[in-house]
Amino acid sequence: QVQLVESGGGLVQAGGLLRLSCAISGGTFSPAAMGWFRQDTGKEREFVAAISGSGAITYYADSVKGRFTISRDNAKNTVNLQMSNLKPEDTAVYYCAARKNPYPSRDSTIYNYWGQGTQVTVSS
């Protein structure tokens, strides 16, 4: 059974930085495309960033481009999201997701596995 476990969330002041990590365990499929999504209270889940199985292709939401960086370490089965210059509007629960396919996507509906989420709160 594939499990995704996020860590690294917390409370930070605007302009600060955080690093989220997602540990992947279980499953036998090749390095899968991974994505980060977020959902704030009362809002729909939205795409943040995605990375291909090899790590060569990355996608970002316009709202985080230039501030967030997604990366992965396939030897350690982890994917990270480095977040800098955080803004109050970045406040949300951040979810890690994996799909049975090496190609990344902005579409949350095609991801097969999800973590439980980690809270990020940015104070003004």
Side-chain angles (χ1 to χ4, degrees):
Q1 183 69 23
V2 174
Q3 287 189 319
L4 307 178
V5 179
E6 302 97 334
S7 61
L11 173 64
V12 65
Q13 289 188 333
L17 54 85
L18 280 176
R19 182 181 176 89
L20 304 183
S21 292
C22 176
I24 310 156
S25 62
T28 58
F29 53 92
S30 300
M34 303 293 297
W36 285 96
F37 295 81
R38 65 188 183 187
Q39 186 169 20
D40 196 8
T41 304
K43 298 183 180 179
E44 294 187 353
R45 186 170 298 186
E46 65 173 358
F47 169 75
V48 176
I51 189 167
S52 63
S54 68
I57 302 171
T58 56
Y59 296 149
Y60 294 94
D62 288 342
S63 59
V64 307
K65 200 171 294 183
R67 300 188 298 120
F68 291 10
T69 301
I70 189 170
S71 63
R72 66 188 300 157
D73 185 337
N74 286 341
K76 296 181 179 180
N77 287 334
T78 59
V79 62
N80 302 305
L81 185 68
Q82 181 68 50
M83 306 185 294
S84 61
N85 190 20
L86 282 160
K87 304 176 181 180
E89 52 263 42
D90 294 318
T91 295
V93 176
Y94 283 70
Y95 297 91
C96 172
R99 65 178 303 210
K100 298 178 184 178
N101 186 295
Y103 302 105
S105 173
R106 295 176 174 88
D107 183 356
S108 65
T109 64
I110 65 173
Y111 284 82
N112 305 103
Y113 305 101
W114 291 83
Q116 82 288 350
T118 186
Q119 177 71 46
V120 171
T121 302
V122 184
S123 63
S124 57

